[in-house]
Amino acid sequence: MPQKLNSYFPLFLALLGLIFYVPLLGGVHLFDWDEINFAEISREMIVLNEYSSVHVDFKPFFEKPPLFFWIQSCSMHVFGINEFAARLPNAVCGIITLLVIFYIGKKVDSSRFGWLWALSYFGSLLPFLYFKSGIIDPWYNLFSFIGLFSLIAFHQKQLNPNLESFQWPKVYYLRIAGFATGLAILTKGPAVLLVLLSCLGLYGVLNKFKWSLSLKDFAIYVAISLGVPGIWFLMETIINGPAFVNAFVSYQVRLFSTPDAGHGGFPGYHFAILLLGVFPASIFCLKAFSYKDPGDYYHQSDIKKWMMLLLVVVLVLFSVVESKIVHYSSLAYFPITYLSAFALDKMIDQKLEWGRWLNAIFIFSGALFLLVVGTAPYFGNNIEMLKPYFMKDPFAMANLEAKVKWTLADYTPAMILLIILLWFSFSKKFFIL
């Protein structure tokens, strides 16, 4: 691929995010429970002129640390207290995320791979929608993934000091890993440590406990990870006493042991959510598991192993957690889209075939989306048909009372999706080489 074209890829991705993530952010009222509460927390920071503590309904809120609310309140200071300002931080996060994964993909493989990874992330349903929302998870996931990938870079730099993919001294990657993990904790909580340490443990088991992270390195990583949020937790305790810390720890334990109100689910909940919610990348991702090529560079195959481990850890961990909420497994968007890019990259090089069974899964999943998108305008204009199914959910019932007029133009996305599925079903060659 021409070097001059490669240099423009980051600009293309930034413009792509700017065009698709930012417009119409304020066109819809805050409707998700988390969106409303988080925006209110940030609003109250401004009203109370109190940024060291977290409040909702002007009472202490013990469930989340403050980093996301600091970002959101800064947006509100600039753009006013409104829906646009509440959602803009995640649109910015979306642009940064596309650039980060392109940069990482380019470093570990090639510009083409980074481009495929970024497009896989950009073109999948839930990852796209989350960057149009006002919830915490996009920033939490970005910090968490940077933390894990920096640990991977440290590990590979330890094994091969001359590795060209990672040019900084290995200690830098360890510090970045700790700092990013600390920011993730300060954004949402300590679950990120459980996820990343589980990945480290499983990797050690698969490699017969041959792990390059010494006890000293591990202690440095954990110290930085806990030290970054620890500064705020210490200040909060000194100023307001241990109430926040005690209630926050109790809340984290409760999330793992009991279903949150109205958020139970079946054991395969997150598998289904990721398969359908990260469509179409989730379908391409399945093909990556079957690919084995002894000619691959070690660091590329090793990173693929890490991505598979991250996906498995997130799926298993949040399947065990009693509370089942869509965004709990959203950290898996990174490994799914990585593996999607991996499969697409090999298909382009004709090293991997698509296969009939995968084609069937793709068409079936696409047909489900076609059914939802195609019938939404009809049910939107006949909302009374849906109300009996939501009688026990006052919040959903209130949303169904919104006055929305659906027109024939709203069937356009369904028509586009139908054309794509038909083309995909009958096309024998999916990629132009």
XYZ file of all heavy atoms in Angstrom, residues 188-283:
735
model
N -14.600 3.753 36.569
C -15.747 2.891 36.868
C -15.567 1.993 38.079
O -16.540 1.668 38.750
C -16.074 2.036 35.638
C -17.389 1.293 35.727
C -17.710 0.575 34.434
C -19.056 -0.150 34.539
N -19.374 -0.891 33.283
N -14.358 1.549 38.334
C -14.175 0.662 39.473
C -13.101 -0.382 39.232
O -12.479 -0.432 38.166
N -12.887 -1.259 40.219
C -11.746 -2.172 40.199
C -11.940 -3.433 39.366
O -11.042 -4.274 39.327
C -11.590 -2.531 41.680
C -12.990 -2.454 42.223
C -13.646 -1.325 41.474
N -13.078 -3.607 38.702
C -13.298 -4.824 37.906
C -12.223 -4.992 36.846
O -11.887 -6.119 36.458
C -14.681 -4.796 37.266
N -11.668 -3.876 36.354
C -10.633 -3.959 35.327
C -9.429 -4.757 35.822
O -8.823 -5.534 35.065
C -10.197 -2.548 34.873
C -9.705 -1.707 36.044
C -9.107 -2.635 33.814
N -9.071 -4.605 37.093
C -7.946 -5.364 37.634
C -8.237 -6.852 37.623
O -7.367 -7.673 37.300
C -7.633 -4.905 39.070
C -6.564 -3.820 39.237
C -6.358 -3.508 40.705
C -5.243 -4.234 38.603
N -9.460 -7.218 37.965
C -9.851 -8.627 37.941
C -9.753 -9.193 36.522
O -9.254 -10.303 36.316
C -11.276 -8.782 38.476
C -11.830 -10.205 38.534
C -10.953 -11.089 39.414
C -13.269 -10.199 39.059
N -10.193 -8.412 35.553
C -10.138 -8.858 34.150
C -8.691 -9.012 33.688
O -8.299 -10.055 33.147
C -10.882 -7.864 33.230
C -10.652 -8.221 31.760
C -12.371 -7.865 33.531
N -7.887 -7.979 33.904
C -6.512 -8.012 33.396
C -5.655 -9.041 34.126
O -4.852 -9.746 33.496
C -5.878 -6.624 33.513
C -6.562 -5.484 32.745
C -5.651 -4.274 32.662
C -6.971 -5.921 31.349
N -5.834 -9.166 35.431
C -5.059 -10.170 36.173
C -5.488 -11.581 35.799
O -4.657 -12.503 35.794
C -5.209 -9.939 37.677
C -4.598 -8.635 38.209
C -4.781 -8.525 39.715
C -3.113 -8.533 37.842
N -6.758 -11.760 35.460
C -7.221 -13.068 34.975
C -6.563 -13.408 33.650
O -6.166 -14.557 33.414
C -8.749 -13.070 34.825
O -9.389 -12.883 36.064
N -6.446 -12.405 32.773
C -5.753 -12.619 31.493
C -4.294 -12.996 31.722
O -3.770 -13.919 31.084
C -5.832 -11.364 30.630
S -7.472 -11.010 29.974
N -3.641 -12.291 32.651
C -2.247 -12.600 32.964
C -2.107 -14.019 33.496
O -1.203 -14.768 33.103
C -1.709 -11.608 33.999
C -1.480 -10.165 33.547
C -1.095 -9.296 34.726
C -0.425 -10.102 32.469
N -3.013 -14.405 34.394
C -2.960 -15.737 34.978
C -3.174 -16.825 33.941
O -2.434 -17.825 33.907
N -4.164 -16.665 33.095
C -4.444 -17.662 32.062
C -3.303 -17.759 31.061
O -2.957 -18.852 30.593
C -5.754 -17.317 31.343
C -7.039 -17.633 32.100
C -8.249 -17.128 31.317
C -7.179 -19.135 32.342
N -2.730 -16.614 30.720
C -1.599 -16.628 29.795
C -0.434 -17.419 30.398
O 0.220 -18.200 29.707
C -1.160 -15.203 29.474
C -0.062 -15.133 28.434
C -0.379 -15.094 27.083
C 1.281 -15.119 28.806
C 0.622 -15.038 26.122
C 2.284 -15.066 27.857
C 1.949 -15.025 26.521
O 2.948 -14.982 25.573
N -0.198 -17.213 31.691
C 0.861 -17.962 32.362
C 0.602 -19.455 32.361
O 1.512 -20.257 32.136
N -0.652 -19.852 32.584
C -1.000 -21.272 32.570
C -0.766 -21.870 31.184
O -0.196 -22.969 31.050
C -2.477 -21.463 32.999
C -2.914 -22.908 32.774
C -2.661 -21.078 34.456
N -1.212 -21.165 30.128
C -1.064 -21.675 28.764
C 0.401 -21.768 28.351
O 0.758 -22.576 27.485
C -1.811 -20.764 27.784
C -3.340 -20.786 27.878
C -3.945 -19.774 26.903
C -3.881 -22.181 27.582
N 1.256 -20.939 28.956
C 2.673 -20.944 28.607
C 3.514 -21.645 29.674
O 4.711 -21.350 29.824
C 3.177 -19.510 28.384
C 2.681 -18.922 27.080
O 3.266 -19.100 26.028
N 1.557 -18.228 27.163
N 2.874 -22.556 30.415
C 3.557 -23.363 31.428
C 4.292 -22.488 32.438
O 5.420 -22.773 32.843
C 4.520 -24.344 30.756
C 3.816 -25.320 29.806
C 4.806 -26.257 29.127
C 4.067 -27.195 28.179
N 4.994 -28.118 27.472
N 3.620 -21.393 32.793
C 4.089 -20.466 33.820
C 5.417 -19.802 33.471
O 6.147 -19.335 34.350
C 4.185 -21.176 35.180
C 2.880 -21.737 35.638
C 2.599 -23.090 35.449
C 1.914 -20.941 36.209
C 1.383 -23.622 35.846
C 0.703 -21.455 36.607
C 0.424 -22.800 36.426
N 5.706 -19.741 32.164
C 6.876 -18.992 31.695
C 6.427 -17.566 31.396
O 6.032 -17.241 30.281
C 7.462 -19.656 30.454
C 8.052 -21.025 30.713
C 8.591 -21.650 29.435
C 9.154 -23.034 29.703
N 9.659 -23.672 28.455
N 6.484 -16.737 32.382
C 5.968 -15.375 32.272
C 7.087 -14.383 32.546
O 7.852 -14.538 33.505
C 4.808 -15.181 33.251
C 4.317 -13.773 33.364
C 4.271 -13.004 34.487
C 3.793 -12.964 32.312
N 3.758 -11.766 34.192
C 3.463 -11.710 32.862
C 3.590 -13.157 30.951
C 2.934 -10.674 32.112
C 3.061 -12.133 30.202
C 2.734 -10.915 30.784
N 7.235 -13.387 31.715
C 8.366 -12.463 31.805
C 8.160 -11.369 32.848
O 9.067 -10.577 33.092
C 8.611 -11.812 30.436
O 7.450 -11.115 30.010
N 7.002 -11.306 33.461
C 6.722 -10.262 34.457
C 7.216 -10.741 35.816
O 6.629 -11.648 36.424
C 5.219 -9.973 34.498
C 4.767 -8.734 35.244
C 5.198 -7.476 34.506
C 3.248 -8.719 35.415
N 8.278 -10.153 36.311
C 8.820 -10.536 37.618
C 7.934 -10.006 38.735
O 7.047 -9.179 38.513
C 10.241 -9.988 37.767
O 10.210 -8.566 37.847
N 8.200 -10.467 39.944
C 7.437 -9.982 41.103
C 7.625 -8.476 41.283
O 6.695 -7.764 41.646
C 7.874 -10.730 42.369
C 7.415 -12.180 42.488
C 7.990 -12.813 43.749
C 5.877 -12.251 42.501
N 8.832 -7.998 41.001
C 9.091 -6.561 41.112
C 8.278 -5.786 40.076
O 7.655 -4.763 40.407
C 10.578 -6.290 40.919
C 10.943 -4.814 40.963
C 12.431 -4.612 40.691
C 12.768 -3.111 40.647
N 14.215 -2.898 40.343
N 8.277 -6.275 38.830
C 7.500 -5.615 37.774
C 6.011 -5.635 38.108
O 5.312 -4.637 37.912
C 7.735 -6.315 36.429
C 9.173 -6.212 35.954
O 9.826 -5.205 36.275
O 9.638 -7.147 35.281
N 5.568 -6.775 38.597
C 4.158 -6.901 38.951
C 3.793 -5.926 40.069
O 2.734 -5.281 40.030
C 3.863 -8.337 39.393
C 2.431 -8.580 39.771
C 1.450 -8.703 38.794
C 2.055 -8.676 41.104
C 0.121 -8.925 39.149
C 0.749 -8.898 41.465
C -0.234 -9.015 40.484
N 4.676 -5.808 41.059
C 4.425 -4.892 42.175
C 4.369 -3.445 41.686
O 3.531 -2.652 42.143
C 5.508 -5.055 43.236
N 5.241 -3.082 40.745
C 5.229 -1.722 40.191
C 3.921 -1.462 39.465
O 3.293 -0.408 39.634
C 6.428 -1.524 39.234
C 7.747 -1.537 40.016
C 6.281 -0.209 38.455
C 8.981 -1.533 39.135
N 3.500 -2.434 38.644
C 2.247 -2.286 37.895
C 1.060 -2.101 38.838
O 0.245 -1.176 38.665
C 2.021 -3.508 37.007
C 0.615 -3.611 36.469
C 0.140 -2.693 35.540
C -0.249 -4.620 36.914
C -1.162 -2.775 35.061
C -1.546 -4.705 36.439
C -1.996 -3.786 35.517
O -3.284 -3.854 35.055
N 0.953 -2.957 39.837
C -0.171 -2.872 40.779
C -0.111 -1.580 41.584
O -1.142 -0.927 41.817
C -0.189 -4.098 41.713
C -1.261 -3.930 42.806
C -0.463 -5.376 40.920
N 1.083 -1.180 41.979
C 1.235 0.044 42.776
C 0.762 1.267 41.991
O 0.052 2.131 42.523
C 2.685 0.210 43.212
N 1.149 1.353 40.719
C 0.710 2.491 39.895
C -0.792 2.406 39.649
O -1.504 3.418 39.732
C 1.474 2.523 38.558
C 2.976 2.722 38.803
C 0.940 3.644 37.670
C 3.815 2.625 37.547
N -1.289 1.191 39.359
C -2.712 1.001 39.089
C -3.575 1.439 40.263
O -4.627 2.066 40.081
C -3.010 -0.471 38.764
O -2.317 -0.893 37.617
N -3.134 1.127 41.463
C -3.900 1.500 42.653
C -3.568 2.910 43.117
O -4.399 3.575 43.745
C -3.633 0.497 43.783
C -4.080 -0.950 43.514
C -3.719 -1.838 44.704
C -5.571 -1.020 43.233
N -2.369 3.357 42.798
C -1.956 4.682 43.245
C -2.700 5.804 42.562
O -3.050 6.817 43.196
N -2.973 5.656 41.255
C -3.679 6.710 40.513
C -5.065 6.976 41.105
O -5.375 8.117 41.480
C -3.769 6.357 39.007
C -4.686 7.329 38.276
C -2.380 6.356 38.386
N -5.942 5.960 41.234
C -7.245 6.230 41.869
C -7.114 6.425 43.378
O -7.957 7.077 43.997
C -8.061 4.968 41.554
C -7.048 3.890 41.411
C -5.848 4.551 40.789
N -6.039 5.843 43.943
C -5.867 5.940 45.389
C -5.728 7.375 45.869
O -6.132 7.698 47.000
N -5.186 8.247 45.029
C -5.058 9.663 45.406
C -6.439 10.252 45.675
O -6.657 10.933 46.688
C -4.334 10.445 44.294
C -2.900 9.946 44.147
C -4.354 11.947 44.586
C -2.167 10.536 42.949
N -7.391 9.975 44.753
C -8.740 10.516 44.957
C -9.447 9.836 46.132
O -10.091 10.514 46.946
C -9.597 10.354 43.704
C -10.986 10.877 43.936
C -11.392 12.185 43.904
C -12.141 10.115 44.302
N -12.729 12.285 44.215
C -13.221 11.017 44.465
C -12.363 8.752 44.500
C -14.489 10.602 44.821
C -13.640 8.332 44.858
C -14.687 9.257 45.007
N -9.334 8.498 46.227
C -9.989 7.792 47.327
C -9.459 8.284 48.681
O -10.227 8.422 49.642
C -9.759 6.277 47.197
C -10.681 5.608 46.217
C -10.257 5.325 44.935
C -11.977 5.259 46.587
C -11.105 4.709 44.025
C -12.836 4.643 45.688
C -12.398 4.367 44.407
N -8.170 8.562 48.753
C -7.591 9.061 50.004
C -8.126 10.450 50.322
O -8.507 10.735 51.473
C -6.064 9.089 49.888
C -5.301 9.610 51.114
C -5.581 8.721 52.326
C -3.803 9.673 50.818
N -8.178 11.329 49.311
C -8.706 12.673 49.532
C -10.172 12.625 49.950
O -10.594 13.350 50.867
C -8.555 13.504 48.258
C -7.125 13.869 47.909
S -7.029 14.804 46.360
C -8.092 16.198 46.742
N -10.952 11.763 49.307
C -12.367 11.626 49.652
C -12.523 11.159 51.098
O -13.391 11.653 51.835
C -13.034 10.629 48.691
C -14.417 10.145 49.102
C -15.473 11.241 49.073
O -15.259 12.276 48.413
O -16.522 11.060 49.731
N -11.680 10.227 51.514
C -11.755 9.707 52.878
C -11.359 10.772 53.897
O -11.986 10.906 54.955
C -10.845 8.470 53.024
O -11.241 7.474 52.073
C -10.950 7.895 54.432
N -10.320 11.536 53.580
C -9.873 12.591 54.500
C -10.942 13.671 54.650
O -11.220 14.147 55.757
C -8.548 13.204 53.997
C -7.417 12.177 54.101
C -8.207 14.460 54.796
C -6.118 12.634 53.474
N -11.564 14.052 53.519
C -12.532 15.157 53.539
C -13.878 14.729 54.099
O -14.474 15.411 54.942
C -12.717 15.730 52.118
C -11.405 16.347 51.625
C -13.835 16.777 52.085
C -11.426 16.753 50.157
N -14.361 13.560 53.648
C -15.736 13.158 53.991
C -15.833 11.880 54.813
O -16.939 11.376 55.034
C -16.558 12.979 52.705
C -16.668 14.270 51.914
O -17.004 15.323 52.448
N -16.345 14.208 50.617
N -14.699 11.328 55.213
C -14.732 10.095 55.978
C -14.800 8.871 55.074
O -14.811 8.977 53.851
N -14.864 7.678 55.668
C -14.789 6.435 54.891
C -16.115 5.990 54.268
O -16.197 4.876 53.749
C -14.330 5.418 55.943
C -14.927 5.929 57.219
C -14.897 7.435 57.121
N -17.157 6.826 54.315
C -18.483 6.412 53.847
C -18.453 5.973 52.392
O -19.024 4.931 52.029
C -19.496 7.544 54.033
N -17.799 6.760 51.524
C -17.780 6.408 50.103
C -17.070 5.084 49.888
O -17.575 4.212 49.170
C -17.102 7.501 49.280
C -17.078 7.184 47.796
C -18.101 7.613 46.967
C -16.044 6.420 47.246
C -18.098 7.304 45.611
C -16.035 6.110 45.887
C -17.069 6.553 45.078
N -15.884 4.919 50.452
C -15.102 3.704 50.241
C -15.876 2.481 50.705
O -15.961 1.460 49.991
C -13.753 3.794 50.971
C -12.992 2.477 50.852
C -12.919 4.934 50.392
N -16.479 2.551 51.889
C -17.232 1.412 52.423
C -18.419 1.055 51.530
O -18.647 -0.111 51.207
C -17.711 1.713 53.842
C -16.566 1.833 54.829
O -15.483 1.289 54.602
N -16.778 2.548 55.927
N -19.195 2.075 51.146
C -20.379 1.830 50.315
C -19.986 1.371 48.915
O -20.649 0.528 48.312
C -21.232 3.094 50.246
N -18.889 1.920 48.393
C -18.427 1.558 47.053
C -18.005 0.090 47.003
O -18.366 -0.645 46.077
C -17.260 2.456 46.661
C -16.675 2.172 45.308
C -17.362 2.517 44.155
C -15.439 1.554 45.184
C -16.829 2.259 42.899
C -14.889 1.289 43.930
C -15.590 1.646 42.793
N -17.252 -0.348 48.003
C -16.826 -1.760 48.062
C -18.037 -2.673 48.204
O -18.122 -3.714 47.535
C -15.840 -1.967 49.231
C -15.570 -3.453 49.442
C -14.546 -1.212 48.981
N -18.995 -2.296 49.039
C -20.203 -3.111 49.202
C -20.980 -3.222 47.901
O -21.505 -4.288 47.564
C -21.096 -2.495 50.286
O -20.442 -2.484 51.529
N -21.024 -2.136 47.132
C -21.732 -2.141 45.857
C -21.052 -3.072 44.864
O -21.718 -3.834 44.144
C -21.780 -0.722 45.300
C -22.308 -0.637 43.882
C -23.663 -0.820 43.607
C -21.448 -0.380 42.813
C -24.143 -0.739 42.310
C -21.922 -0.296 41.514
C -23.265 -0.479 41.270
O -23.725 -0.416 39.984
N -19.716 -3.051 44.816
C -18.990 -3.923 43.893
C -19.225 -5.392 44.225
O -19.416 -6.222 43.323
C -17.487 -3.610 43.944
C -17.113 -2.201 43.545
C -17.461 -1.869 42.104
O -17.309 -2.693 41.206
N -17.954 -0.652 41.873
N -19.239 -5.708 45.498
C -19.495 -7.094 45.927
C -20.910 -7.502 45.558
O -21.154 -8.619 45.089
C -19.260 -7.240 47.447
C -19.712 -8.617 47.933
C -17.791 -7.010 47.779
N -21.855 -6.593 45.745
C -23.257 -6.909 45.445
C -23.474 -7.174 43.961
O -24.262 -8.039 43.584
C -24.157 -5.758 45.908
C -25.642 -6.098 45.860
C -26.503 -5.009 46.455
N -26.654 -3.871 45.585
C -26.153 -2.668 45.826
N -25.453 -2.450 46.934
N -26.331 -1.672 44.975
N -22.768 -6.455 43.106
C -22.908 -6.661 41.667
C -22.526 -8.079 41.264
O -23.115 -8.669 40.355
C -22.035 -5.670 40.900
C -22.559 -4.238 40.765
C -21.565 -3.407 39.978
C -23.919 -4.209 40.090
N -21.505 -8.629 41.938
C -21.044 -9.970 41.580
C -21.898 -11.067 42.213
O -21.958 -12.177 41.684
C -19.588 -10.149 42.026
C -18.600 -9.617 41.044
C -18.283 -8.261 41.015
C -17.993 -10.450 40.140
C -17.374 -7.772 40.097
C -17.070 -9.966 39.210
C -16.761 -8.614 39.194
N -22.562 -10.759 43.303
C -23.236 -11.820 44.058
C -24.742 -11.862 43.884
O -25.357 -12.909 44.078
C -22.910 -11.665 45.557
O -23.312 -10.386 46.021
N -25.363 -10.737 43.522
C -26.821 -10.703 43.374
C -27.205 -9.930 42.125
O -26.503 -8.995 41.731
C -27.498 -10.026 44.593
O -26.999 -8.691 44.719
C -27.217 -10.794 45.872
N -28.321 -10.285 41.483
C -28.754 -9.527 40.304
C -29.161 -8.114 40.694
O -29.882 -7.916 41.667
C -29.964 -10.317 39.795
C -29.908 -11.643 40.479
C -29.206 -11.406 41.778
N -28.667 -7.124 39.950
C -29.115 -5.756 40.159
C -30.589 -5.672 39.770
O -31.060 -6.442 38.926
C -28.287 -4.803 39.296
C -28.307 -3.383 39.826
O -28.746 -3.203 40.963
O -27.876 -2.478 39.089
N -31.309 -4.767 40.360
C -32.756 -4.681 40.156
C -33.106 -4.668 38.681
O -32.700 -3.782 37.941
C -33.298 -3.427 40.837
N -33.861 -5.685 38.249
C -34.319 -5.727 36.867
C -33.255 -6.124 35.865
O -33.458 -6.028 34.671
N -32.082 -6.595 36.344
C -30.992 -6.894 35.422
C -30.462 -8.312 35.614
O -29.252 -8.529 35.633
C -29.853 -5.875 35.592
C -30.222 -4.493 35.154
N -30.321 -3.453 36.033
C -30.549 -4.011 33.933
C -30.682 -2.353 35.365
N -30.812 -2.672 34.101
N -31.345 -9.253 35.746
C -30.942 -10.647 35.729
C -30.895 -11.126 34.292
O -31.188 -10.399 33.356
N -30.525 -12.384 34.095
C -30.463 -12.906 32.734
C -29.990 -14.344 32.722
O -29.532 -14.872 33.730
N -30.078 -14.996 31.566
C -29.677 -16.388 31.428
C -28.159 -16.480 31.275
O -27.493 -15.488 30.930
C -30.392 -17.018 30.231
C -30.094 -16.375 28.910
C -29.134 -16.910 28.062
C -30.772 -15.223 28.511
C -28.849 -16.317 26.849
C -30.494 -14.620 27.287
C -29.535 -15.165 26.460
N -27.555 -17.659 31.516
C -26.080 -17.781 31.505
C -25.427 -17.369 30.189
O -24.318 -16.854 30.190
C -25.867 -19.283 31.786
C -27.079 -19.701 32.538
C -28.216 -18.889 31.979
N -26.089 -17.603 29.054
C -25.500 -17.249 27.762
C -25.831 -15.848 27.299
O -25.642 -15.521 26.113
N -26.284 -15.003 28.226
C -26.739 -13.644 27.900
C -25.679 -12.859 27.128
O -25.953 -12.301 26.058
C -27.105 -12.919 29.193
C -27.471 -11.471 29.041
C -28.783 -11.089 28.785
C -26.514 -10.472 29.186
C -29.126 -9.748 28.659
C -26.843 -9.137 29.058
C -28.152 -8.781 28.799
O -28.477 -7.448 28.665
N -24.453 -12.820 27.655
C -23.428 -11.979 27.035
C -22.928 -12.573 25.722
O -22.522 -11.819 24.821
C -22.265 -11.757 28.003
C -22.609 -10.803 29.109
N -22.855 -9.469 28.880
C -22.770 -10.999 30.444
C -23.140 -8.879 30.033
N -23.102 -9.784 30.977
N -22.949 -13.896 25.589
C -22.580 -14.491 24.309
C -23.551 -14.037 23.221
O -23.137 -13.639 22.126
C -22.591 -16.020 24.413
C -22.231 -16.712 23.123
C -20.904 -16.941 22.797
C -23.218 -17.118 22.237
C -20.559 -17.564 21.600
C -22.885 -17.740 21.040
C -21.549 -17.968 20.728
N -24.847 -14.068 23.539
C -25.857 -13.638 22.563
C -25.733 -12.153 22.269
O -25.832 -11.721 21.106
C -27.256 -13.965 23.095
N -25.499 -11.357 23.318
C -25.369 -9.902 23.139
C -24.198 -9.566 22.232
O -24.297 -8.722 21.325
C -25.205 -9.210 24.515
C -26.532 -9.217 25.282
C -24.702 -7.777 24.347
C -27.636 -8.416 24.623
N -23.071 -10.232 22.447
C -21.884 -9.927 21.651
C -22.019 -10.443 20.226
O -21.573 -9.794 19.272
C -20.636 -10.522 22.315
C -20.242 -9.878 23.651
C -19.094 -10.647 24.290
C -19.853 -8.415 23.467
N -22.629 -11.612 20.051
C -22.790 -12.165 18.708
C -23.673 -11.264 17.853
O -23.363 -10.986 16.691
C -23.394 -13.570 18.785
C -23.579 -14.288 17.436
C -22.236 -14.541 16.774
C -24.346 -15.592 17.632
N -24.775 -10.795 18.437
C -25.705 -9.959 17.681
C -25.334 -8.477 17.759
O -25.472 -7.741 16.790
C -27.127 -10.161 18.201
C -27.710 -11.567 18.003
C -29.080 -11.679 18.668
C -27.814 -11.914 16.525
N -24.845 -8.044 18.917
C -24.583 -6.623 19.118
C -23.332 -6.114 18.439
O -23.225 -4.927 18.137
N -22.355 -6.990 18.204
C -21.118 -6.572 17.553
C -21.118 -7.083 16.101
O -20.073 -7.275 15.499
C -19.879 -7.051 18.338
C -18.617 -6.309 17.895
C -20.064 -6.800 19.828
N -22.291 -7.310 15.573
C -22.459 -7.680 14.162
C -22.037 -6.504 13.280
O -22.337 -5.359 13.610
C -23.939 -8.013 13.924
C -24.271 -8.395 12.511
C -24.132 -9.701 12.097
C -24.719 -7.449 11.603
C -24.441 -10.063 10.792
C -25.030 -7.800 10.297
C -24.886 -9.116 9.897
N -21.319 -6.729 12.184
C -20.910 -8.014 11.605
C -19.541 -8.514 12.058
O -19.142 -9.614 11.683
C -20.890 -7.707 10.115
C -20.455 -6.284 10.040
C -21.064 -5.607 11.248
N -18.795 -7.736 12.858
C -17.445 -8.149 13.246
C -17.462 -9.477 13.998
O -16.536 -10.285 13.870
C -16.791 -7.063 14.100
N -18.515 -9.717 14.786
C -18.598 -10.949 15.568
C -18.625 -12.182 14.676
O -18.152 -13.251 15.071
C -19.832 -10.913 16.463
O -21.007 -10.740 15.689
N -19.173 -12.062 13.474
C -19.241 -13.197 12.560
C -17.859 -13.477 11.962
O -17.396 -14.622 11.927
C -20.266 -12.942 11.436
C -21.607 -12.483 12.033
C -20.439 -14.192 10.586
C -22.232 -13.462 12.983
